[in-house]
């Protein structure tokens, strides 16, 4: 892949006060402030200065849950989940280089609002916006809106027929949402605003396009209300475990987030990349190949023993009756050197980069900043759009008339 | 509050009413002049920063954004004569929260193509991020034309829209209040983040919404972000008087404005509310000059710039209900008669439909044009909207203050005709005069938008708690 910086793409995933459900017990004051701008600025500005490529925000949509399945209300869990597109927007003016990527639940939002909000984030950040799309099949979250009827997601077996049908439905819906986003972002050609005083026309309406999307799940007429943004189409990210998510990524994303090792035996980093390439072939992908980032939870310590002890303590806080953190990603419990060694292995196996998920913001982010990120990212890197950083060209609008080069 | 007694705001003459000021970013309509060399971008974030900072330097209470969810069309083609294109309201306000400290951030969001849970979470997020500066202008959208951009579609009957809006706002407020004052405990020893498992729980079953769950945000700085309402119909007024903290309305003549304000405040009182806690905030345009004559000249130039020949034809089409694109704007008014209904329903998509008798209206304009020797374009310049306030800085300050002191309004949402610098002169020259009079405080004295607007910091509960089913 063309890489203008020459280093792996490094994203840091921020979520609450850290990815481990016990993290808030260590940082109660941070947890209390976790919807304020000051809290997020303090986290993001050092990452921006360090040269980190991307910061992402999760969207539990409702109250945060512990993992797969219907989220259960518990008094001993962090219950703060601000709207991530607005969080990202509030960080745009005070950051310079880092790309801002909120997650959006496609199942319960209006694609028109999502398209215009992400395009606006791209304008406000001068080309540093992206969006991670997530389909959600839980009944608990559907009931927050009361608009879509979903059966309870059966957690005992992931393959219960009702849950399979619900997942089919929400992923099919997400595919249509992704298609609508791309079309709306293309619905204004770059030079649509002409300000022609002679004819009194502000725009050339021949360069604005109805998208006329009619799918099985939704229909959107268009065009967008937002003129084309600096990147044209902000990059789309999809996290994939489910085969449906690999298919969605291959059809509609620019970046796919995969789990490069256990807990899925046989799915080592090379295996994950092979699954991505197979999905691309099956989808007949015409776009540039997906950028593949590995999902890594991080519990760091000066020694392996210290890291192991930290995880044990977090687990004891989160699961007083016994039990361990159930993560969907690789969990690296070790020293910064251990993490860098794994990163080298994954890089050699074909991953384009990593998304690092700190178990505890207050502890793991400073360790990452001091001991890991200086080896992975370039603190002196230039200001780039997210597409540029990913080595992706700025696309022409699909509605634009072919140029002479296209014809030749 | 003893410290506040020494602040300039408290020195105002007794009985003087405070002038509330909003700064309206130039909109997607014929008010905004894009042909002026000083006209900059309507989409670059730097334009929003410029205007918001200007407003904050001059102690405006809030920045205001309108909403448009579908580009206007004529016969299926995009309307191309005015400014076209705008950003997403909430994303811009969230970004502006990072470059301002005191300014309220008020956005227009429809109750028709959003869900209460989403809007409640978005505005509570904005309120947390901005430290208590969020506001919402709640509107309704009746038309299937806009609905074509949304999953929900365009099914909502005009008669039902305020019914849905009232239930919508009630549910939103219930979610904002779903966390009590002491619900976030973050007690690490007791292993409780929230007081008990039911914190934030809601359950509502009504005609339009059937929702339940747990709200994922603690009580925000304002508890309830400020709610404005726009809509002048009887149903709109009833809705606003019951549910809103302020009414965003049209500028009117002095007597009509007083009657409107008295009607709304009377309705609020009848609903058991303090009428001072329902602010009447008309949108107002302005033209400023060093002398009265210069201001008048400037006003006329701006109106002419707002009405190009093509815009004049488009304006008249809404009254003629005919396609007039073949007529010469510099010639006389079209000699064809107006139609009672548009000859083609696609002629005026997404535009406000006149409610007057179009035949009588056109007859009146023909007589006016004949008497004054006006071309088609001259006539439209003459009869289309005039600036609300025209004059020197001192005259405009007097006009604004007079209206507020005599009960015609509680303040104004000022709409400049240029982006991004259209507010600069007014902010620098007129607002200081209002401050000298004691009608606008010298600085921000409140912590939140609600406090700066003189609204109760802890709004009374207006809706039933949603935990109990109706």
């Amino acid at each position: 892949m063309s890489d203008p910086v020459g280093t792996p793409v490094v994203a840091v995933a921020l979520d609450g006060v850290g990815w481990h459900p016990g993290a808030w017990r260590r940082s109660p004051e941070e947890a209390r402030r976790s919807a304020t701008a000051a809290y997020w600025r303090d986290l993001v500005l050092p990452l921006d200065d360090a040269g980190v490529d991307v910061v992402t925000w999760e969207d539990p949509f409702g109250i945060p849950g512990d993992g797969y399945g219907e989220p259960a209300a518990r008094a001993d869990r962090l219950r703060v989940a601000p709207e991530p597109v607005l969080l990202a927007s509030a960080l745009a003016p005070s950051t310079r280089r880092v790309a801002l990527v909120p997650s959006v639940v496609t199942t319960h939002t209006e694609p028109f609002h999502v398209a215009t909000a992400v395009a606006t984030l791209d304008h406000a950040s001068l080309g540093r916006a992206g969006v991670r799309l997530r389909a959600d099949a839980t009944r608990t979250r559907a009931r927050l809106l009361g608009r879509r009827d979903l059966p309870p997601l059966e957690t005992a077996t992931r393959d219960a027929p009702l849950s399979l049908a619900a997942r089919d439905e929400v992923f099919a819906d997400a595919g249509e949402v992704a298609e609508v986003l791309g079309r709306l972002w293309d619905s204004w050609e770059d030079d649509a605003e002409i300000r022609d005083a002679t004819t009194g026309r502000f725009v050339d309406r021949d360069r604005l396009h109805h998208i006329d999307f009619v799918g099985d799940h939704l229909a959107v007429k268009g065009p967008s209300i937002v003129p084309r943004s600096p990147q044209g189409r902000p990059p789309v990210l999809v996290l994939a475990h489910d085969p449906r998510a690999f298919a969605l990524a291959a059809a509609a994303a620019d970046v796919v987030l995969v789990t490069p090792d256990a807990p899925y035996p046989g799915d080592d980093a090379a295996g994950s990349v092979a699954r991505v390439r197979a999905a691309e072939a099956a989808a007949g992908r015409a776009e540039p190949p997906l950028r593949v980032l590995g999902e890594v939870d991080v519990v760091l310590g000066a020694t392996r023993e210290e890291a192991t002890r930290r995880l044990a303590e977090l687990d004891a806080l989160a699961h007083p009756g016994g039990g361990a953190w159930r993560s969907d990603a690789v969990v690296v419990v070790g020293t910064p050197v251990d993490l860098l060694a794994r990163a080298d292995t994954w890089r050699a196996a074909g991953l384009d980069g990593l998304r690092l998920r700190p178990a505890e913001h207050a502890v793991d982010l400073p360790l990452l900043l001091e001991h890991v990120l200086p080896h992975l990212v370039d603190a002196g890197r230039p200001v780039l759009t997210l597409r540029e950083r990913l080595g992706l060209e700025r696309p022409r609008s699909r509605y634009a008339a072919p140029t002479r080069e296209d014809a030749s | 509050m003893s410290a506040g007694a020494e602040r300039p705001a408290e020195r105002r003459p007794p009985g003087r009413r405070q002038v509330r000021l909003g700064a309206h970013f130039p909109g997607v309509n014929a008010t905004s002049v894009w042909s002026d060399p000083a006209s900059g971008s309507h989409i670059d974030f730097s334009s929003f920063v410029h205007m918001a900072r200007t407003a904050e330097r001059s102690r405006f209470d809030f920045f205001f954004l309108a909403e448009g969810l579908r580009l206007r069309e004529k016969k299926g083609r995009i309307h191309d004569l005015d400014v076209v294109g705008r950003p997403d309201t909430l994303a811009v306000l969230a970004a502006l929260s990072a470059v301002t400290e005191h300014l309220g951030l008020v956005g227009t969001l429809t109750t028709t193509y959003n869900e209460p849970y989403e809007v409640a979470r978005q505005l509570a997020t904005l309120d947390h991020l901005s430290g208590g500066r969020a506001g919402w202008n709640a509107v309704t959208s009746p038309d299937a034309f806009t609905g074509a951009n949304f999953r929900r579609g365009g099914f909502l009957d005009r008669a039902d829209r305020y019914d849905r809006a009232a239930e919508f706002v009630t549910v939103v407020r219930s979610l904002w209040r779903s966390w009590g004052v002491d619900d976030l405990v973050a007690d690490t020893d007791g292993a409780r983040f929230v007081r008990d498992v039911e914190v934030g729980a809601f359950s509502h079953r009504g005609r339009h919404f059937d929702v339940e769950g747990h709200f994922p945000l603690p009580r925000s700085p304002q508890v309830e972000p400020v709610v404005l309402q726009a809509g002048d119909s009887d149903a709109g007024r009833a809705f606003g008087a019951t549910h809103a903290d302020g009414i965003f309305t049209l500028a009117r003549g002095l007597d009509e404005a007083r009657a409107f304000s008295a009607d709304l405040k009377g309705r609020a009182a009848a609903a058991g509310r303090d009428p001072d806690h329902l602010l009447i905030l008309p949108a107002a345009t302005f033209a400023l000059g060093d002398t009265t004559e210069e201001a008048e000249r400037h006003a006329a130039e701006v109106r002419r710039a707002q009405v190009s020949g093509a815009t004049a034809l488009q304006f008249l089409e809404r009254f003629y209900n005919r396609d007039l694109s073949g007529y010469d704007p510099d010639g006389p008014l079209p000699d064809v008669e107006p139609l009672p209904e548009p000859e083609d329903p696609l002629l005026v998509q997404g535009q406000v439909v006149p409610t007057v008798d179009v035949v009588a209206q056109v007859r009146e304009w023909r007589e006016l044009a004949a008497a004054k020797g006006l071309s088609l374009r001259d006539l439209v310049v003459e009869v289309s909207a005039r600036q609300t306030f025209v004059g020197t800085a001192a005259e405009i300050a007097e006009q604004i203050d007079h209206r507020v002191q005599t009960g015609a309004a509680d303040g104004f949402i000022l709409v400049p005709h240029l982006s991004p610098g259209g507010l600069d002169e007014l902010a620098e020259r007129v607002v200081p005069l209002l401050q000298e009079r004691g009608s606008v405080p010298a600085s921000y004295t409140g912590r939140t938008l609600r406090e700066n607007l003189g609204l109760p910091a802890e709004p009374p509960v207006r809706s039933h708690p949603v935990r109990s089913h109706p």
Side-chain angles (χ1 to χ4, degrees):
Chain A
M1 101 186 228
S2 113
D3 178 350
V5 174
T7 54
V9 174
V10 175
V12 172
L14 300 176
D15 188 27
V17 294
W19 281 72
H20 195 289
W24 79 265
R25 301 280 295 278
R26 297 272 186 195
S27 313
E29 277 316 304
E30 284 85 346
R32 196 182 275 284
R33 307 192 302 130
S34 63
T36 65
Y39 171 74
W40 292 103
R41 262 203 304 275
D42 289 348
L43 294 183
V44 174
L45 266 49
L47 296 170
D48 188 35
D49 286 342
V52 164
D53 298 307
V54 178
V55 165
T56 66
W57 284 269
E58 302 312 293
D59 188 13
F61 200 71
I63 55 173
D66 268 10
Y68 180 81
E70 297 286 341
R74 294 175 58 155
D76 66 344
R77 291 292 187 263
L78 185 76
R79 293 274 281 267
V80 181
E83 205 286 320
V85 180
L86 299 184
L87 272 187
S89 302
L91 268 305
S94 39
T95 49
R96 196 164 60 92
R97 289 182 302 186
V98 72
L100 306 165
V101 178
S103 298
V104 163
V105 172
T106 55
T107 313
H108 302 308
T109 49
E110 288 283 0
F112 193 85
H113 291 319
V114 173
T116 58
V118 173
T120 300
L121 175 62
D122 204 39
H123 279 290
S125 65
L126 304 176
R128 295 182 287 125
V131 64
R132 183 192 143 208
L133 302 183
R134 183 168 83 76
D136 189 296
T138 61
R139 177 181 164 78
T140 308
R141 297 188 183 105
R143 288 292 299 138
L144 297 168
L145 283 83
R147 198 157 85 172
R148 186 192 281 274
D149 195 24
L150 290 173
L153 203 57
E154 291 152 278
T155 46
T157 155
R158 289 176 69 124
D159 298 329
L162 277 178
S163 300
L164 287 179
R167 287 213 294 279
D168 284 343
E169 182 189 329
V170 300
F171 273 100
D173 183 282
E176 294 188 1
V177 168
E179 172 69 17
V180 167
L181 297 185
R183 290 197 196 186
L184 285 172
W185 289 332
D186 277 350
S187 66
W188 286 63
E189 293 181 40
D190 288 319
D191 45 6
E193 185 177 314
I194 53 170
R195 299 195 183 216
D196 181 22
T198 325
T199 56
R201 294 177 306 147
F202 181 77
V203 288
D204 176 355
R205 60 187 170 197
D206 292 336
R207 298 180 214 171
L208 292 176
H209 304 275
H210 291 121
I211 69 166
D212 287 318
F213 179 83
V214 180
D216 294 331
H217 300 266
L218 55 106
V220 174
K221 179 76 180 172
S224 176
I225 53 167
V226 185
R228 203 143 193 268
S229 71
Q231 296 185 92
R233 292 200 295 270
V236 170
L237 287 69
V238 168
L239 187 156
H241 298 302
D242 190 314
R244 298 171 189 81
F246 277 92
L248 173 66
D254 301 289
V255 177
V256 62
L257 306 168
V258 300
T259 303
D261 278 321
Y264 299 97
D267 252 9
D268 60 3
S272 294
V273 175
R275 275 182 85 182
V276 171
R277 301 298 164 231
E280 287 173 338
R285 183 179 172 93
E287 299 280 309
L290 284 160
R291 302 327 189 205
V292 187
L293 306 188
E295 288 276 282
V296 188
D297 283 305
V298 178
V299 187
L300 293 176
T303 60
R304 275 181 209 168
E305 293 67 34
E306 186 188 323
T308 307
R309 180 176 52 75
R310 279 190 59 220
L311 178 59
E313 286 173 6
L314 287 168
D315 279 347
L317 287 170
H319 306 285
W325 184 20
R326 287 172 54 216
S327 172
D328 64 330
V330 176
V331 186
V332 172
V333 185
T335 66
V337 172
D338 292 336
L339 176 58
L340 287 166
R342 297 285 288 276
D344 281 346
T345 314
W346 292 321
R347 181 79 169 151
L351 291 188
D352 298 302
L354 300 173
R355 187 168 82 135
L356 302 170
R357 314 193 322 191
E360 217 186 326
H361 290 169
V363 178
D364 293 299
L365 281 175
L367 290 171
L368 283 170
L369 280 162
E370 192 169 349
H371 301 294
V372 177
L373 293 170
H375 302 282
L376 291 179
V377 299
D378 174 7
R381 80 164 171 87
V383 176
L384 301 168
T385 68
L386 177 55
R387 291 194 80 91
E388 286 168 346
R389 180 61 190 94
L390 294 169
L392 297 170
E393 289 190 356
R394 187 176 186 280
R396 295 183 73 227
S397 162
R398 71 195 69 190
Y399 302 107
T403 61
R404 217 165 292 158
E405 297 97 83
D406 294 335
S408 66
Chain B
M1 298 304 283
S2 57
E6 286 158 29
R7 297 192 188 197
E10 303 301 321
R11 287 205 310 259
R12 68 176 191 262
R16 177 159 288 273
R17 300 179 68 87
Q18 295 288 276
V19 173
R20 315 297 174 187
L21 294 175
H24 189 310
F25 192 82
V28 173
N29 54 46
T31 305
S32 303
V33 173
W34 54 260
S35 53
D36 191 301
S39 165
S41 172
H42 283 75
I43 192 70
D44 289 351
F45 184 59
S46 57
S47 291
F48 294 87
V49 173
H50 179 100
M51 200 171 131
R53 286 189 169 151
T54 299
E56 185 163 81
R57 266 197 307 277
S58 295
R59 211 237 163 259
F60 274 66
D61 292 292
F62 59 89
F63 183 89
F64 183 93
L65 281 177
E67 181 182 57
L69 298 172
R70 180 139 181 213
L71 304 183
R72 289 183 288 159
E73 291 183 9
K74 174 184 168 185
K75 292 187 171 177
R77 305 197 71 199
I78 309 296
H79 177 72
D80 55 3
L81 303 177
D82 300 332
V83 171
V84 181
R86 62 171 95 221
D88 174 73
T89 297
L90 285 165
V92 165
L93 295 180
L96 286 177
S97 75
V99 296
T100 53
E101 280 179 61
H102 306 285
L103 189 67
L105 303 165
V106 181
T108 305
L109 299 171
T110 181
T111 54
T112 308
Y113 302 114
N114 287 295
E115 297 298 327
Y117 175 81
E118 289 180 282
V119 168
R121 185 163 79 119
Q122 288 165 329
L123 286 165
T125 297
L126 182 62
D127 207 43
H128 279 290
L129 290 175
S130 64
R133 297 187 280 137
W136 171 30
N137 179 35
V139 300
T140 63
S141 325
D143 55 333
F145 178 71
T146 304
N149 280 338
F150 295 94
R151 288 177 188 269
R152 180 162 280 284
F155 63 84
L156 202 63
D157 190 347
R158 186 172 275 267
D160 264 355
R161 57 189 179 137
Y162 283 107
D163 193 54
R164 176 178 157 104
E167 192 176 326
F168 192 114
V169 172
T170 301
V171 175
V172 167
R173 281 215 170 98
S174 309
L175 300 186
W176 286 338
R177 287 183 165 277
S178 62
W179 288 55
V181 181
D182 301 319
D183 279 354
L184 198 169
V185 293
D187 166 16
T188 57
D189 294 337
R192 289 181 313 159
F193 183 73
V194 285
R195 187 176 39 76
D196 64 53
V197 72
E198 285 307 297
V199 166
F202 64 91
S203 169
H204 167 91
R205 206 166 298 144
R207 194 170 152 232
H208 298 274
F209 305 105
D210 173 9
V211 296
E212 66 183 340
H214 292 81
F215 192 59
L217 281 164
R219 180 170 269 253
S220 75
Q222 294 188 101
V223 186
E224 291 185 11
V226 170
V227 176
L228 306 185
Q229 177 271 337
D232 286 344
S233 67
D234 189 60
R237 291 183 189 203
F239 169 70
T242 312
H243 294 279
D245 299 304
I247 304 292
F248 175 56
T249 183
L250 308 167
R252 296 173 160 81
L254 195 56
D255 292 338
E256 206 192 330
R258 280 189 196 130
F260 178 81
S261 178
D263 176 49
L264 266 293
K265 298 216 178 213
R267 289 174 190 243
R273 301 180 56 196
D274 180 342
D276 284 344
H277 294 160
L278 179 66
L279 304 175
I280 308 301
L281 301 167
T285 51
F286 56 90
L288 188 59
D290 287 334
T291 63
T292 312
E293 296 69 37
E294 191 193 303
E296 296 282 4
R297 209 163 42 241
H298 176 51
E301 284 163 11
V302 170
R303 284 205 299 278
R304 195 148 186 91
Q306 287 166 337
V307 182
S308 69
T311 300
L313 288 168
Q314 184 101 7
F315 174 88
L316 288 177
E317 281 177 346
R318 288 189 296 144
F319 293 87
Y320 277 77
N321 286 317
R322 291 174 183 272
D323 184 348
L324 302 178
S325 47
Y327 287 85
D328 176 7
D330 296 318
L333 282 180
D335 47 11
V336 290
E337 283 309 306
L339 299 171
E341 296 289 330
E343 60 178 354
D344 178 343
L346 298 177
L347 191 61
V348 289
Q349 289 279 36
Q351 301 193 40
V352 178
V353 179
T355 50
V356 296
D357 172 354
V358 292
V359 176
Q361 182 67 74
V362 167
R363 192 184 313 123
E364 188 189 309
W365 286 341
R366 282 208 182 104
E367 287 161 10
L368 180 66
K372 289 192 165 184
L374 302 176
S375 70
L376 185 159
R377 182 179 173 203
D378 295 337
L379 181 277
V380 175
V381 170
E382 180 83 14
V383 303
S384 59
R386 312 183 79 78
Q387 292 89 343
T388 319
F389 300 120
V390 178
T392 63
E395 286 165 349
I396 289 182
E398 166 59 22
Q399 292 166 33
I400 289 175
D401 203 25
H402 179 68
R403 286 191 164 230
V404 171
Q405 301 311 329
T406 58
D410 291 289
F412 292 92
I413 298 179
L414 292 155
V415 192
H417 70 275
L418 283 180
S419 162
L423 194 68
D424 295 356
E425 255 202 299
L426 182 121
E428 283 157 23
R429 296 171 59 190
V430 176
V431 178
L433 299 177
L434 290 166
Q435 289 173 319
E436 276 176 25
R437 288 166 174 248
S439 299
V440 170
S443 60
Y444 292 96
T445 50
R447 192 178 52 100
T448 64
L449 172 60
R450 190 168 273 290
E451 289 171 14
N452 283 322
L453 286 172
L455 296 167
E458 273 286 313
V461 178
R462 265 163 294 197
S463 42
H464 300 291
V466 277
R467 273 186 219 186
S468 54
H469 286 258

